[in-house]
Amino acid sequence: MHIQIQCCGIVLMLVLFYFYMRQRRIALHTQRTFLNVFWSTFACIAVDILSIGTIEYRHLFPPVFVDLVAKTYLITLLGVALSALSYMCSDIYRNQGQYRQEMRKYLILTGIGVLGTYLVPIRYHYSADGKQVLYTHGPSLYVTYGMALVFFVTIFYLLHKKKERINPRRREAVCIWLLVWIAASQIQFMYTEILIVGYAGSIGIMVLYLKLENPETNLDRETGLFNSGALYQYTGELYARDRDFSALVMVFENNSFQNVPLKKREQIRMEIAEYLLKLPDSPAFKYAEDEFYILFSDSDAAEQKIQKIRRRFETGWGSEPACLVRPCWLYLPHSHIVDQPQKLLTLVRYIRQDGMEFSENGLLVVEKDSVDQMNREKETEQLILKAMEEDRVEVYYQPIFSTEEQRITSAEALVRIRERDGSVIPPGTFIDIAEESGLILRFGEIVFEKVCRFIQKYPPEEYGLHYIEVNLSVVQCAYDRLAEDYISIMKKHGVDPRFINLEITESASTTAKKTLLGNMDALIQYGIKFSLDDFGTGQSNLNYIVDMPVDIVKFDKSMTNAYFENGRARYVMDAAIHMIHGMDLQIVSEGIETTEQYEAMKNLGISYIQGYYFSKPLPEEEFIRFIDEHRSR
């Protein structure tokens, strides 16, 4: 027998181990199980060499000792199979209790295999002259190979049955490793003088290392900190083991380096990274270019460590003169406010996008109420998506009364969502979230198309209506294809544009005034008119009316109520009405609920009245019946 191939396997594994140990590593459970696989394979090759030497020089040892060494090599094969199974289970059973419970069964099975291998005989096949052992065989080998086969079948079963729980790259790497080992076993079985099973194991370890377990894949190449993939894996294991931890998130906004010269910023970033690398028992991660995470396993001691980190930032960075860098700090005292890493990362995204206010010292402590708010918004997003998919978006119509014609002459289209149980959800529950999530563009098109279908089905002139008002959100007003899309919808349904009045709010022009004016110009040329909605609640008020090409101004309900509750508000409203009429614009007063309010607004010369005094918003068929009833009076 020759040991050259086994020696090559040993050398290969030692080289891999050198590269593995020289890199920074994060304490992942899968890495610990990989080391188990590594050392069990190493032991297998080493004992294989020992057994070959013992058999070659069997005349120097008692027969019992020779058998014992040969059988121990077989036991190491079972050890490799068990460690491979353990490696797979570490991905499948993230919960440590489940993992231990599952592995206990396989340990018992391995113990039975070990006992069987040692108790039954092993035999040696000699050369023709009886001087050289060519290979071993007999019951001991059959027990070992039988048990190893059970483990391999179990591994392939888990790879298929639990594939949704296994990292796809890990599944691929393990499959390659096992196939190499099985192929080597078949070759050695057919050509007994070629002992390559151990070397095949070292090849398998190399595959695992290159595809999965190279620590360098968890490092950010620029800073040397752990990267986003490592953050996801590490926090995933902490959650699976039900380990509470604290997290400090450093966010570098545009003004964080406000007084730092551009040429020094990269140097300072690297200095900060080096400082984070040296933090004891607090792994630091670079999640994005402007976002870094520091995790603390001891939540009780986290605050003291955080104070120390923040004090370091107060001393400045770089050479003289030191430059102050002021990141924003998000502090999660307890990780259990969410239950998985994806939600943790989503929570940070949500807080940043939502623009939650930091304290004076730039720190925001994230508690459970932030999570509850985020979850409510996510649930509402799903509600909107499902309503759009299942056609449960409905349009209600609230009549608008003309004080001059003394009848209903128009209506405002107001959106509602119909729940599956038949209940109706008002817009205050979902409109803001639809805007923040970007769903409002698709949502708004659905509403506008339903209004166009309504106009097509019930021609307004037949019911004495001049137009239907449709609200536009701030996001829609900033959408550069708004005019093109709305004109396309009107053409599709054959709607005369004079029956459409679009409502915009004052805040619509604060972010993209040029885009808004371009959309308005295109739609006005097509024949649509515009109203200014919620007048009195914004910032620009009368100046806004001068800039915007609107025909109607709508007084918000709060402004109407203030007229009756505040003496000063009366003077403001009187002056506003006078100026608006002077610009030859019409006025709609919203929120009118009593006869007193109606008479007061009428006497002020307001052209149109809208509110519960006449009717609440009605579904389209009820609205048409309402119009018919009031026309017949």
Side-chain angles (χ1 to χ4, degrees):
M1 294 183 181
H2 302 286
I3 61 170
Q4 291 91 336
I5 296 178
Q6 287 85 341
C7 289
C8 289
I10 288 285
V11 171
L12 176 60
M13 294 194 68
L14 288 175
V15 171
L16 291 176
F17 186 68
Y18 167 77
F19 284 109
Y20 183 81
M21 294 304 295
R22 68 188 298 268
Q23 297 287 353
R24 290 183 65 244
R25 300 178 306 282
I26 192 167
L28 296 173
H29 183 54
T30 51
Q31 288 185 348
R32 291 191 291 274
T33 54
F34 167 72
L35 285 176
N36 291 339
V37 175
F38 182 94
W39 288 119
S40 62
T41 303
F42 187 88
C44 179
I45 299 173
V47 176
D48 190 15
I49 293 173
L50 178 62
S51 68
I52 291 172
T54 304
I55 293 171
E56 281 288 321
Y57 299 97
R58 60 192 179 282
H59 57 279
L60 300 177
F61 305 102
V64 174
F65 179 77
V66 176
D67 288 355
L68 181 66
V69 174
K71 290 180 178 180
T72 301
Y73 163 66
L74 297 177
I75 297 303
T76 61
L77 291 175
L78 285 182
V80 173
L82 177 65
S83 63
L85 188 54
S86 170
Y87 184 65
M88 286 300 305
C89 288
S90 67
D91 229 18
I92 297 169
Y93 305 104
R94 298 294 184 89
N95 182 281
Q96 287 296 292
Q98 284 184 316
Y99 172 78
R100 291 194 186 98
Q101 183 179 358
E102 197 68 21
M103 289 310 300
R104 197 174 293 120
K105 296 186 297 185
Y106 301 127
L107 282 169
I108 293 171
L109 196 61
T110 303
I112 295 172
V114 170
L115 193 61
T117 300
Y118 276 129
L119 289 178
V120 299
I122 186 169
R123 298 191 176 96
Y124 306 95
H125 186 81
Y126 294 90
S127 59
D129 58 9
K131 294 181 179 181
Q132 185 179 1
V133 174
L134 298 179
Y135 58 88
T136 56
H137 64 101
S140 190
L141 263 74
Y142 303 148
V143 170
T144 301
Y145 287 167
M147 293 300 297
L149 180 62
V150 170
F151 283 134
F152 287 151
V153 170
T154 303
I155 290 171
F156 281 115
Y157 171 78
L158 291 174
L159 285 170
H160 174 71
K161 191 71 174 178
K162 306 288 185 180
K163 61 182 178 182
E164 71 283 351
R165 296 188 187 179
I166 304 171
N167 181 331
R169 293 175 65 240
R170 192 181 312 282
R171 188 169 65 244
E172 180 185 5
V174 170
C175 283
I176 294 172
W177 173 33
L178 293 179
L179 290 173
V180 167
W181 210 17
I182 290 170
S185 300
Q186 289 298 315
I187 292 171
Q188 185 168 318
F189 181 78
M190 294 169 64
Y191 304 97
T192 52
E193 70 279 6
I194 303 177
L195 306 179
I196 61 170
V197 170
Y199 183 72
S202 67
I203 294 295
I205 293 296
M206 184 179 69
V207 170
L208 294 182
Y209 175 84
L210 293 177
K211 288 194 69 68
L212 283 168
E213 303 301 341
N214 183 354
E216 195 171 351
T217 60
N218 287 326
L219 298 179
D220 176 67
R221 293 189 177 184
E222 180 186 7
T223 62
L225 298 170
F226 294 118
N227 58 24
S228 57
L231 174 65
Y232 194 85
Q233 291 182 72
Y234 185 64
T235 53
E237 286 197 4
L238 292 175
Y239 278 115
R241 293 158 61 186
D242 199 24
R243 291 277 300 276
D244 188 28
F245 62 92
S246 300
L248 178 68
V249 186
M250 287 193 302
V251 179
F252 293 94
E253 302 287 0
N254 293 332
N255 58 356
S256 297
F257 292 89
Q258 190 171 10
N259 299 317
V260 181
L262 287 174
K263 61 182 180 181
K264 292 186 66 175
R265 292 188 182 183
E266 190 58 33
Q267 171 197 340
I268 289 175
R269 283 180 181 274
M270 292 308 300
E271 189 178 342
I272 292 172
E274 289 174 9
Y275 170 73
L276 297 178
L277 282 170
K278 296 175 182 177
L279 292 175
D281 302 320
S282 305
F285 304 79
K286 179 185 175 183
Y287 183 72
E289 284 299 318
D290 62 346
E291 193 172 294
F292 296 79
Y293 284 70
I294 306 169
L295 303 186
F296 308 94
S297 57
D298 185 352
S299 297
D300 295 331
E303 290 193 19
Q304 292 182 349
K305 293 183 178 181
I306 290 170
Q307 289 176 6
K308 184 178 179 181
I309 294 170
R310 298 188 66 202
R311 282 197 299 270
R312 173 62 187 87
F313 273 79
E314 291 170 3
T315 61
W317 302 90
S319 56
E320 295 296 334
C323 299
L324 291 179
V325 179
R326 295 183 174 87
C328 298
W329 306 87
L330 299 175
Y331 174 44
L332 288 80
H334 298 286
S335 60
H336 61 233
I337 60 175
V338 292
D339 58 2
Q340 54 182 271
Q342 186 57 54
K343 289 184 179 180
L344 172 66
L345 301 175
T346 302
L347 175 62
V348 174
R349 294 270 79 68
Y350 166 77
I351 291 170
R352 291 191 61 181
Q353 292 171 4
D354 197 57
M356 291 189 177
E357 293 187 4
F358 291 79
S359 63
E360 291 182 1
N361 59 5
L363 178 68
L364 175 63
V365 180
V366 183
E367 301 288 1
K368 193 174 184 303
D369 55 350
S370 299
V371 180
D372 294 339
Q373 183 178 341
M374 179 186 72
N375 290 337
R376 284 194 297 271
E377 292 192 8
K378 293 297 179 185
E379 289 171 3
T380 304
E381 283 184 31
Q382 289 302 309
L383 170 71
I384 297 168
L385 284 169
K386 288 294 183 183
M388 291 190 294
E389 290 172 3
E390 299 170 6
D391 193 26
R392 289 189 284 107
V393 177
E394 297 185 8
V395 179
Y396 280 41
Y397 298 87
Q398 186 170 31
I400 298 176
F401 184 84
S402 169
T403 56
E404 296 176 3
E405 298 184 41
Q406 287 294 297
R407 65 181 185 85
I408 303 296
T409 57
S410 59
E412 180 178 1
L414 299 165
V415 65
R416 301 288 189 268
I417 286 179
R418 177 79 61 178
E419 280 278 36
R420 289 172 178 166
D421 62 5
S423 59
V424 176
I425 303 174
T429 306
F430 57 82
I431 287 295
D432 288 344
I433 294 171
E435 289 188 354
E436 292 169 7
S437 63
L439 294 173
I440 194 67
L441 292 175
R442 181 180 165 200
F443 194 77
E445 283 192 9
I446 290 173
V447 172
F448 188 71
E449 185 142 15
K450 285 181 177 287
V451 170
C452 288
R453 287 175 184 167
F454 172 79
I455 292 172
Q456 185 183 37
K457 184 177 180 180
Y458 303 104
E461 68 270 21
E462 293 183 14
Y463 297 89
L465 300 176
H466 300 324
Y467 58 84
I468 303 294
E469 293 182 348
V470 183
N471 289 283
L472 292 179
S473 73
V474 174
V475 176
Q476 288 174 285
C477 291
Y479 177 49
D480 55 4
R481 293 187 55 186
L482 175 75
E484 178 184 342
D485 290 349
Y486 273 36
I487 290 172
S488 175
I489 292 171
M490 286 186 286
K491 287 180 177 179
K492 174 183 174 181
H493 295 282
V495 170
D496 190 328
R498 65 191 173 91
F499 294 130
I500 298 289
N501 183 288
L502 297 177
E503 297 185 9
I504 61 173
T505 61
E506 294 182 31
S507 54
S509 72
T510 58
T511 55
K513 187 172 182 178
K514 184 177 179 180
T515 302
L516 170 61
L517 288 173
N519 281 322
M520 291 182 73
D521 182 60
L523 289 165
I524 288 170
Q525 288 188 29
Y526 188 68
I528 288 177
K529 292 187 177 181
F530 281 84
S531 298
L532 173 62
D533 196 16
D534 294 339
F535 177 81
T537 61
Q539 301 282 327
S540 49
N541 295 323
L542 291 170
N543 290 331
Y544 187 88
I545 301 174
V546 174
D547 294 335
M548 292 293 109
V550 296
D551 296 288
I552 298 172
V553 177
K554 300 190 75 171
F555 284 174
D556 180 72
K557 179 181 179 180
S558 61
M559 188 173 181
T560 303
N561 291 340
Y563 179 84
F564 296 97
E565 297 169 1
N566 188 322
R568 291 184 178 182
R570 293 194 175 201
Y571 292 105
V572 173
M573 194 163 174
D574 285 341
I577 291 171
H578 177 75
M579 294 179 70
I580 292 169
H581 281 160
M583 288 184 279
D584 199 25
L585 302 177
Q586 296 176 317
I587 300 174
V588 177
S589 185
E590 296 181 302
I592 302 302
E593 298 180 356
T594 66
T595 302
E596 178 191 6
Q597 291 176 332
Y598 166 72
E599 293 295 340
M601 294 299 107
K602 178 182 176 183
N603 293 334
L604 286 171
I606 287 179
S607 308
Y608 299 99
I609 305 295
Q610 179 179 351
Y612 277 36
Y613 178 71
F614 293 100
S615 173
K616 64 181 181 180
L618 301 168
E620 62 177 46
E621 291 184 359
E622 288 186 33
F623 172 74
I624 291 298
R625 286 198 297 271
F626 178 87
I627 296 298
D628 282 338
E629 290 173 4
H630 282 72
R631 281 198 303 168
S632 61
R633 291 178 184 175

